[in-house]
Amino acid sequence: GGLFATIGGKSRICLAALDAGTGLATDWDPDAANRVNAIAVGGATVYVGGQFTSMGGQSRSNLAALDAGTGLATAWDPDARGSGAFVWALAMAGPTVYAGGNFSSLKGWPQTHFAAITADGVTAVPPAGGPGMQAARAWPNPFTGQVSISFSLAAPTAVRLAVFDGA
């Protein structure tokens, strides 16, 4: 993923699969409409996040799931939206896809900057912090050794922060 128009000797827009032996682009071509910032793989599904309006032949807002064999979009469509929306990071833990970026809603749920989304469906998991919680971007991103994560709460409440290593 990235921001490119050709890679591995073929025309590919922002997302491609390369042959590990030759470095040449394979026939897999999901035809991204714009930048792809993050990729996570779960079984036969490739999850992508970025700043795009279509992926794998379907309308998708910044998040999409692709069939690893065909490159076609699956029914999974969290619909990440907001002013200047984009997805910067993806990780998987079990059947859950975690997304981070600049978005304010998923499938109509108010969801700011971070979300846990079921990998086998299209429903966003409601925000863990409850109504009124807003998370800001981690800085610097990517980080090494130290990071600042800011957030605000509508009212005093206990907060639990869990950090996942997506490697």
Side-chain angles (χ1 to χ4, degrees):
L3 185 59
F4 51 83
T6 60
I7 191 168
K10 291 189 180 179
S11 174
R12 294 288 184 269
I13 306 298
C14 301
L15 186 61
L18 303 177
D19 182 284
T22 65
L24 297 176
T26 69
D27 290 335
W28 192 79
D29 183 8
D31 193 28
N34 202 349
R35 176 189 310 260
V36 173
N37 298 326
I39 302 170
V41 178
T45 305
V46 178
Y47 297 92
V48 293
Q51 191 170 20
F52 48 82
T53 56
S54 68
M55 182 72 65
Q58 298 293 320
S59 176
R60 295 290 184 267
S61 292
N62 308 307
L63 276 169
L66 304 168
D67 181 285
T70 66
L72 296 175
T74 70
W76 191 82
D77 183 12
D79 196 31
R81 297 206 179 234
S83 179
F86 61 85
V87 173
W88 192 254
L90 288 177
M92 292 211 51
T96 305
V97 178
Y98 294 91
N102 183 43
F103 49 85
S104 57
S105 71
L106 292 178
K107 271 294 190 204
W109 284 85
Q111 193 81 38
T112 305
H113 299 293
F114 179 79
I117 309 155
T118 57
D120 59 352
V122 294
T123 305
V125 176
M133 180 181 173
Q134 296 210 0
R137 291 177 59 189
W139 186 259
N141 187 1
F143 64 87
T144 55
Q146 183 176 340
V147 66
S148 296
I149 302 173
S150 60
F151 60 91
S152 64
L153 302 170
T157 188
V159 174
R160 184 179 143 236
L161 175 65
V163 178
F164 296 92
D165 182 355

